[in-house]
């Protein structure tokens, strides 16, 4: 095998594999080093399996509740092992797709653990490879909180939960962030007793407060026991159950469960990436990079979850990969990596991009905000998904779109319209130029835009513009 490459990418997750393929498409001779299955956390232990399990669990819940639609599914049930098999079949298909793309684009795959040595050399096992440029894309791993009992056998992270073939009889989730809300959705749909313990005063602490409040109400209605302001202090082994000790309103309380899922964030997977004597500027285990995502070592780039200050999202890692490839090819960046949509695949879905009203005001904007409630949207009524809203933040005067927060069916797809709008400095008037098909969830976007001018058809009397 050739040992010299234009680019060596360490890590084949959504950052690394996209970077490798894009570099190859731009004419570079590329190798990618991966010790595990390609696709990284996203394909193997994150986004994709979560969405496959959410889908299975939703089909089950809908089948049980279909009578109102005139559909009777007698004895609706599920086989958890088969749900896990379905999830795995989706992973296998997508992993196979990435492998094929490597072959089709002439990317060399090197199996093993890559370590960066001096002079842009990369060691994998006993072999040493060389490159003009190296891209580090080693992703992240679940963070483990250092509390007593965290190493008990049935205290697990998302990595182990995906592998379980038995369904937990009951589940306590430590943390009320994104991973927590997605697993709570799956297991609540499947009728499992789920308790969420979140230390901060609200779920999804980083998101718009209206979203957090609504989600708490919806989750509670689904039977999820939610405690905010509840910090987990320790876990003990009881008689066939785990006992979770947490502090809520200055009182110590206990809850029992079959399994405890630790979902308190993820940490950069940078341990051992730099060989002996190789040093780069880092902060809290993440690489400090310049505007081209280059680390303090010339010719060595970092992308995705290991970048200081970066959101730990697959699509951002991929956008980083494209940006570095374009930079190496001497091209201008095609993606605005400063604008990152965030999505939560709860039910209803949640998606946000740009600034909330509070953030926009803090940034010095005079804003106007509109909100359209999806209970007036025909498609949402048909699919019985009328809970939710679309909120738009625009600049007063210019009508430039500054942000959007959605909590409704297909929010994670529809947010793209606003990402495009904000990335291109578009105004609400420009977004209204294109008519929206009927009946669609997307009509809700049109209504929310109209509402910025006081004229949503299905809510308010029309005012003159
Ligand atoms: P998170 O940061 O979203 O949430 C962790 C939560 O745990 C926080 O709200 C924190 O306050 C809470 N917490 C910490 N210690 C606690 C304690 N002792 N007791 C109770 N609560 C405690 O982290 P996550 O949900 O683990 O997700 C990790 C990363 O993966 C995030 O960056 C997330 O964006 C990403 N992710 C994204 C998606 C998606 O885009 N749909 C899906 C899954 C994960």
């Amino acid at each position: 095998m050739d040992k010299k490459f234009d680019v060596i990418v360490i890590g084949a997750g959504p950052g690394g594999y996209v970077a490798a393929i894009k570099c190859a498409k731009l004419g570079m001779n590329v190798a990618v080093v991966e010790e595990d299955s390609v696709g990284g956390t996203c394909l193997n232990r994150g986004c994709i399996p979560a969405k496959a399990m959410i889908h299975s669990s939703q089909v089950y819940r809908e089948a049980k509740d279909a009578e109102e639609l005139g559909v009777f599914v007698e004895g609706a049930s599920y086989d958890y092992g088969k749900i896990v098999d379905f999830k795995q079949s989706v992973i296998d298909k997508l992993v196979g797709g990435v492998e094929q793309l490597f072959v089709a684009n002439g990317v060399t795959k090197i199996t093993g653990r890559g370590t960066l040595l001096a002079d842009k050399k990369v060691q994998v096992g006993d072999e040493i490879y060389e490159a003009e440029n190296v891209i580090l894309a080693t992703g992240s791993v679940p963070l483990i909180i250092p509390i007593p009992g965290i190493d008990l056998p049935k205290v697990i992270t998302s990595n182990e939960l995906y592998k379980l073939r038995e369904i937990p009889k009951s589940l306590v989730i430590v943390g009320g962030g994104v991973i927590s809300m997605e697993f709570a959705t799956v297991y609540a749909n499947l009728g499992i007793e789920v308790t969420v313990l979140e230390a901060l005063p609200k779920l999804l602490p980083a998101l718009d407060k209206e979203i957090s409040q609504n989600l708490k109400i919806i989750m509670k209605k689904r039977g999820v026991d939610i405690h905010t302001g509840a910090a987990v202090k320790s876990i003990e082994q009881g008689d066939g159950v785990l006992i979770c000790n947490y502090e809520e309103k200055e009182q110590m309380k206990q809850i029992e469960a079959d399994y405890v899922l630790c979902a308190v964030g993820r940490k950069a997977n940078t341990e051992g990436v730099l060989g002996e004597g190789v040093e780069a500027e880092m902060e809290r285990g993440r690489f400090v990079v310049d505007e081209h995502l280059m680390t303090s070592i010339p010719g060595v780039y970092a992308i995705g979850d290991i970048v200081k200050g970066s959101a730990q999202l697959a699509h951002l890692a991929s956008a980083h990969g494209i940006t570095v490839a374009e930079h190496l090819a001497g091209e201008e960046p095609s993606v605005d990596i400063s604008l990152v949509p965030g999505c939560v695949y709860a039910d209803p879905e949640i998606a946000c991009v740009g600034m909330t009203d509070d953030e926009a005001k803090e940034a010095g904007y005079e804003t106007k905000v509109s909100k359209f409630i999806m209970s007036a949207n025909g498609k949402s009524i048909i699919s019985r998904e009328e809970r939710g809203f679309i909120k738009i933040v625009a600049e007063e005067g210019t009508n430039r779109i500054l942000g959007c927060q959605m909590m409704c069916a297909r929010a994670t797809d529809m947010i793209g319209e606003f990402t495009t709008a904000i990335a291109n400095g578009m105004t609400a008037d420009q977004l209204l130029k294109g008519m929206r098909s009927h009946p669609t969830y997307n009509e809700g976007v049109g209504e929310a835009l109209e509402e910025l001018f006081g004229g949503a058809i299905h809510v308010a009397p029309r005012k003159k513009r």
Side-chain angles (χ1 to χ4, degrees):
M1 188 197 286
D2 194 0
K3 297 263 175 79
K4 279 194 168 176
F5 296 91
D6 296 328
V7 178
I8 296 179
V9 184
I10 303 183
Y17 84 71
V18 169
I21 292 168
K22 185 72 180 176
C23 284
K25 282 190 189 290
L26 291 172
M28 292 168 242
N29 178 23
V30 187
V32 60
V33 184
E34 174 58 62
E35 60 179 337
D36 201 341
S37 172
V38 303
T41 298
C42 169
L43 255 63
N44 297 287
R45 299 170 295 280
C47 326
I48 295 297
K51 271 85 251 179
M53 291 177 76
I54 288 170
H55 185 62
S56 292
S57 73
Q58 274 167 346
V59 170
Y60 169 67
R61 187 164 60 84
E62 281 173 21
K64 274 197 318 174
D65 301 340
E67 286 184 18
E68 201 190 316
L69 308 178
V71 177
F72 296 83
V73 185
E74 269 168 41
S77 64
Y78 61 84
D79 178 332
Y80 190 69
K82 290 207 167 132
I83 290 178
V84 175
D85 290 343
F86 167 67
K87 172 213 78 178
Q88 194 55 46
S89 72
V90 174
I91 294 173
D92 294 345
K93 213 175 264 178
L94 289 170
V95 166
V98 174
E99 298 268 10
Q100 276 173 16
L101 284 172
F102 283 162
V103 175
N105 287 284
V107 173
T108 302
K109 191 185 139 202
I110 303 168
T111 303
R113 193 172 175 78
T115 304
L116 179 73
L117 306 179
D119 304 325
K120 291 173 280 181
K121 290 189 171 68
V122 173
Q123 180 163 10
V124 185
D126 295 334
E127 305 287 340
I128 296 192
Y129 302 87
E130 275 178 60
E132 294 292 319
N133 293 285
V134 176
I135 303 175
L136 305 176
T138 49
S140 61
V141 292
L143 190 69
I144 312 283
I145 36 168
I147 56 168
I150 198 73
D151 47 2
L152 284 167
K154 286 189 167 184
V155 181
I156 55 178
T157 68
S158 51
N159 283 356
E160 294 80 44
L161 189 51
Y162 283 124
K163 287 190 202 142
L164 277 191
R165 288 198 69 85
E166 64 164 11
I167 187 158
K169 291 183 198 73
S170 54
L171 181 68
V172 164
I173 309 181
V174 186
V178 190
I179 291 184
S180 168
M181 289 303 102
E182 296 189 351
F183 278 118
T185 300
V186 170
Y187 292 107
N189 283 344
L190 295 176
I192 302 304
E193 209 178 286
V194 180
T195 306
V196 172
L197 303 173
E198 164 58 52
L200 294 177
K202 63 186 186 101
L203 295 175
L204 300 173
L207 295 193
D208 179 82
K209 56 182 178 295
E210 201 173 345
I211 288 181
S212 304
Q213 285 159 359
N214 273 291
L215 185 64
K216 190 171 179 181
I217 295 166
I218 290 166
M219 283 289 195
K220 280 191 160 179
K221 273 195 184 151
R222 295 255 163 80
V224 180
D225 188 15
I226 308 249
H227 298 257
T228 46
V232 176
K233 300 289 183 189
S234 65
I235 305 162
E236 325 160 22
Q237 183 65 60
D239 188 10
V241 284
L242 291 167
I243 302 166
C244 221
N245 299 306
Y246 63 98
E247 189 180 337
E248 190 179 26
K249 293 185 186 137
E250 294 173 14
Q251 274 189 355
M252 280 312 294
K253 298 184 180 172
Q254 288 193 327
I255 178 122
E256 291 182 358
D258 185 16
Y259 278 88
V260 173
L261 172 68
C262 179
V264 295
R266 298 180 60 85
K267 64 169 184 176
N269 182 26
T270 48
E271 232 179 273
V273 172
L274 303 182
E276 248 184 63
V278 181
E279 277 179 24
E281 193 185 344
M282 296 182 87
E283 248 182 69
R284 292 168 161 212
R286 295 170 107 186
F287 289 94
V288 176
V289 296
D290 69 8
E291 73 273 28
H292 302 299
L293 295 157
M294 190 160 80
T295 67
S296 58
I297 308 173
V300 176
Y301 296 79
I303 62 173
D305 292 6
I306 59 173
V307 174
K308 184 200 151 201
S310 167
Q312 293 177 314
L313 295 169
H315 46 271
L316 178 58
S318 299
H320 279 172
I322 289 172
T323 302
V324 172
E326 288 167 341
H327 172 66
L328 294 178
E331 292 184 3
E332 285 300 308
S334 59
V335 190
D336 178 356
I337 55 170
S338 68
L339 184 68
V340 188
C343 299
V344 187
Y345 294 77
D347 187 3
E349 292 182 347
I350 295 164
C352 306
V353 69
M355 290 182 265
T356 61
D357 188 34
D358 288 349
E359 287 166 348
K361 286 196 169 101
E362 261 169 47
Y365 287 98
E366 203 182 322
T367 61
K368 58 178 178 179
V369 178
S370 71
K371 191 163 106 179
F372 180 71
I373 306 287
M374 291 301 267
S375 56
N377 171 263
K379 186 73 185 287
S380 299
I381 294 171
I382 293 166
S383 58
R384 300 186 301 169
E385 292 173 295
E386 56 264 55
R387 294 169 321 272
F389 59 86
I390 296 174
K391 206 197 273 188
I392 301 174
V393 183
E395 184 181 26
E396 182 67 59
T398 64
N399 295 329
R400 190 157 69 95
I401 305 288
L402 299 175
C404 176
Q405 296 85 42
M406 298 183 184
M407 184 177 193
C408 59
R410 305 288 192 277
T412 61
D413 294 306
M414 295 198 294
I415 199 69
E417 184 169 354
F418 287 92
T419 313
T420 302
I422 299 170
N424 291 289
M426 291 172 75
T427 63
D429 312 65
Q430 288 172 320
L431 278 186
L432 271 171
K433 278 256 192 293
M435 80 176 74
R436 291 173 172 80
S437 325
H438 174 76
T440 55
Y441 300 110
N442 196 238
E443 284 174 295
V445 169
E447 297 266 24
L449 287 165
E450 286 278 5
E451 189 55 18
L452 275 177
F453 304 101
I457 306 298
H458 292 97
V459 288
R462 228 173 211 293
K463 285 185 206 152
K464 275 200 167 166
R465 275 194 205 163

